[in-house]
Amino acid sequence: MARCHRNDVGSLILDRPTGAPAASGGHFRLWSAFSAASFRRKIFDAVSCGGSSRYRHHNDDHAAAPITESEGSVAESSKEKVVEKAKRKSKGTNGKSEKLLDLLNLAEWSESEADAATTKRKVEVLEKLKRVVGDLQVERKLEAACEVRLLAKEDLEARGTLAMLGAIPPLVGMLDFEDDDTQIAALYALLNLGIGNDMNKGAIVKAGAVHKMLKLIESPNSLNPSVSEAIVANFLGLSALDSNKPIIGSSGAIPFLIESLKDLENTSSPQAKQDALRALYNLSIFPSNVSFILETDLIPFMLSALGDMEVSERILSILGNVVSTPEGRKAIGAVRDAFPILVDVLNWNDSPACQEKASYILMVLAHKTYGDRQAMIEAGIVSALLELTLLGSTLAQKRASRILACLRVDKGKQVSERFCGNLGGATVSAPICGSSSSSANPNMGSSECLEEEDMMSEEKKAVKQLVQQSLQNNMRKIVKRANLPQDLVPIHFKSLTASSTSKSLPF
């Protein structure tokens, strides 16, 4: 009778088949349904199963015992080889399993230790922030404001936490102090709290910071330049939020920013001037603030300042916002030499951004007002526009073509009026033959209709000829100045004369 272990496969393979005769010697024989390879695979699977490090020695002892008694020497030797191989593999696998388990345990321990260290550090930071906010409400206000300024300078998370802990109201209240150092510390602490945090920007304005800053500006005492620069920087940061734009614009901050930009007393730093210009740009985005800008002399000052490349692009951006309103267009057109200055910007080939912004301003003005178009022509805009269509950026070329389309329509009207005047008041539009007017006058034959049609065709020919001559002459001058091949003229001339006359703007 075979001796079998519970986990072995002897009961599956070596059972006596029903009705089969016994082999000589009283031993069992292999079941014919399994091949030798299948037999070895079954033994290996049974021995190697369950090789955890916890039961390694237990499994080794059982694996060393014989699985069953068999008469075939080949089967016996194969079984012993498989068992021995399984023992070696089980030992190696269990060794690796123990090492892997140790590594996993070490990783879990390290992760738990790291989490504990991170939690501890966060608790310490939170306690520190609580202490700082508490100091803002007691006697150590100046030191606490300086600490808030440093903590909020580069840490976005600290900005939000300080605001939630209530740091903004006491900092705004410190603006009422007469000490310049306290005011400066509070202003820069508020400035850093608002960087990249729209909720803090809104909370600072709601706490009354704009009113208190204007109170400092309007103080009868001379304002410290450092305090003034800190106020300008705060207006720049707060005006970046759309909901703050109408509040700051209507508060009276715009005249102060313009004075800081002009710096007639030479007390502002270059950084303060740039901040003032950028704050004015933010405020000009909101249409209702344009009326507050027009109450000052900002438009003439900015037009006269064009040419300084450090500020020209920003100035043109502000003018682009102002020209979007009817009163803004009127104010720009009323400035003396406004159009010669803007036309000159179209020739700044080394500043494509300024060319694009200036062409936008002129395009809006040309689209809206006939008088402005005449002023542009007198300023020599046609040659500048033709040059821009050749050498400008894609956007500048498109805008220049739109302006030329508007001017071409006006030129056609002028030629039509002159031509009709030479004809002694002849009508511009020829009546349609067969209309009610011609049928009412039977004496008017087809010959008279043809004569009037010839008159109209002559008028159109005259207009087209004048426009073509003007464009060709200007194009040749531009090509000569740009040192381009002369055969370039007909190609670009065709593209210009074949362009659309639509006045729609590329908004």
Side-chain angles (χ1 to χ4, degrees):
M1 190 70 181
R3 291 181 296 118
C4 301
H5 190 269
R6 178 185 294 268
N7 291 335
D8 293 335
V9 295
S11 60
L12 296 176
I13 300 175
L14 302 176
D15 289 342
R16 180 193 299 272
T18 305
S24 62
H27 295 286
F28 298 102
R29 66 179 179 85
L30 293 173
W31 196 351
S32 60
F34 291 93
S35 64
S38 177
F39 169 74
R40 288 194 296 270
R41 184 169 61 252
K42 291 291 184 180
I43 293 177
F44 175 77
D45 291 340
V47 173
S48 63
C49 180
S52 63
S53 59
R54 185 182 302 176
Y55 304 106
R56 184 182 64 180
H57 299 291
H58 177 74
N59 289 341
D60 289 346
D61 295 337
H62 282 288
I67 298 175
T68 185
E69 293 180 359
S70 176
E71 178 181 291
S73 59
V74 176
E76 186 69 28
S77 60
S78 299
K79 179 176 66 175
E80 291 176 357
K81 290 180 181 179
V82 171
V83 170
E84 191 66 24
K85 184 178 179 181
K87 287 175 64 178
R88 290 197 302 268
K89 184 173 181 64
S90 177
K91 290 181 180 180
T93 304
N94 289 329
K96 293 180 181 179
S97 299
E98 287 182 347
K99 292 180 181 179
L100 180 59
L101 183 61
D102 292 339
L103 290 174
L104 290 174
N105 291 335
L106 179 62
E108 292 177 359
W109 178 83
S110 300
E111 186 177 355
S112 61
E113 288 292 321
D115 291 342
T118 302
T119 303
K120 182 179 179 181
R121 186 168 56 254
K122 288 183 177 180
V123 171
E124 292 175 353
V125 171
L126 182 60
E127 292 298 326
K128 182 179 180 180
L129 296 179
K130 287 181 178 179
R131 176 185 58 78
V132 172
V133 174
D135 291 343
L136 288 173
Q137 302 174 2
V138 294
E139 296 181 355
R140 297 184 66 257
K141 294 180 180 293
L142 177 59
E143 294 81 357
C146 294
E147 198 167 358
V148 170
R149 176 183 177 180
L150 294 176
L151 291 171
K153 185 176 182 180
E154 297 179 354
D155 192 345
L156 180 61
E157 186 175 354
R159 295 168 199 159
T161 305
L162 287 168
M164 288 189 294
L165 292 174
I168 292 177
L171 286 172
V172 173
M174 290 171 63
L175 299 180
D176 293 330
F177 287 30
E178 296 182 359
D179 181 18
D180 291 343
D181 293 336
T182 303
Q183 294 172 357
I184 293 172
L187 286 168
Y188 281 111
L190 290 170
L191 175 66
N192 289 346
L193 285 174
I195 296 175
N197 193 312
D198 290 343
M199 291 185 64
N200 287 0
K201 286 186 178 74
I204 291 170
V205 171
K206 289 181 180 179
V210 174
H211 171 72
K212 290 185 181 296
M213 286 190 289
L214 290 174
K215 187 177 178 181
L216 291 175
I217 296 169
E218 298 168 356
S219 174
N221 301 326
S222 59
L223 189 63
N224 187 320
S226 298
V227 176
S228 177
E229 292 179 7
I231 293 175
V232 171
N234 270 273
F235 279 140
L236 170 60
L238 297 176
S239 62
L241 185 63
D242 288 340
S243 60
N244 288 344
K245 286 179 173 63
I247 299 174
I248 299 174
S250 60
S251 67
I254 290 177
F256 165 73
L257 293 172
I258 294 174
E259 290 177 4
S260 300
L261 176 62
K262 292 180 178 179
D263 190 23
L264 300 177
E265 298 179 358
N266 296 321
T267 57
S268 300
S269 66
Q271 182 62 48
K273 293 180 182 178
Q274 289 287 342
D275 290 347
L277 190 62
R278 293 166 63 192
L280 287 169
Y281 169 75
N282 288 343
L283 296 175
S284 67
I285 295 174
F286 197 74
S288 64
N289 287 336
V290 173
S291 59
F292 299 113
I293 293 176
L294 298 180
E295 292 175 358
T296 66
D297 59 346
L298 179 62
I299 303 301
F301 172 77
M302 289 193 300
L303 286 170
S304 63
L306 282 175
D308 184 358
M309 299 311 295
E310 293 184 359
V311 297
S312 292
E313 186 175 349
R314 189 74 63 182
I315 286 175
L316 290 169
S317 299
I318 296 174
L319 292 176
N321 292 333
V322 171
V323 80
S324 62
T325 63
E327 59 271 21
R329 292 192 291 271
K330 184 177 180 180
I332 294 174
V335 176
R336 184 181 179 182
D337 296 332
F339 293 105
I341 293 172
L342 293 172
V343 170
D344 182 62
V345 177
L346 297 180
N347 297 318
W348 294 359
N349 295 327
D350 56 341
S351 181
C354 290
Q355 286 181 321
E356 292 173 357
K357 290 176 171 58
S359 61
Y360 172 77
I361 297 168
L362 291 168
M363 181 183 65
V364 176
L365 292 171
H367 178 78
K368 295 294 183 180
T369 310
Y370 173 78
D372 291 342
R373 293 196 289 271
Q374 297 305 305
M376 293 177 195
I377 294 174
E378 294 174 2
I381 194 175
V382 175
S383 60
L385 291 173
L386 290 174
E387 183 173 354
L388 198 59
T389 58
L390 287 174
L391 306 176
S393 64
T394 303
L395 182 58
Q397 289 178 358
K398 185 176 182 180
R399 290 172 175 173
S401 299
R402 293 297 178 89
I403 300 173
L404 285 172
C406 294
L407 300 180
R408 187 166 63 244
V409 171
D410 286 344
K411 188 70 174 178
K413 289 180 179 179
Q414 291 176 0
V415 174
S416 298
E417 293 173 356
R418 189 180 303 113
F419 184 81
C420 293
N422 293 335
L423 292 177
T427 59
V428 176
S429 301
I432 301 175
C433 295
S435 63
S436 58
S437 59
S438 61
S439 60
N441 186 4
N443 295 325
M444 185 175 181
S446 60
S447 60
E448 295 181 4
C449 291
L450 292 175
E451 288 178 1
E452 296 201 9
E453 287 180 359
D454 292 337
M455 189 194 318
M456 271 301 300
S457 63
E458 290 296 331
E459 176 188 340
K460 292 180 180 179
K461 288 178 181 179
V463 172
K464 185 175 181 180
Q465 185 177 3
L466 288 173
V467 173
Q468 288 178 346
Q469 289 177 355
S470 176
L471 290 175
Q472 284 179 340
N473 292 333
N474 287 320
M475 189 74 73
R476 288 193 182 94
K477 293 179 183 178
I478 293 169
V479 171
K480 186 176 180 181
R481 287 171 53 190
N483 294 324
L484 297 174
Q486 291 295 324
D487 56 358
L488 193 66
V489 176
I491 299 174
H492 286 274
F493 177 71
K494 286 183 179 180
S495 64
L496 287 174
T497 55
S499 61
S500 173
T501 58
S502 173
K503 294 185 180 180
S504 59
L505 300 180
F507 290 123

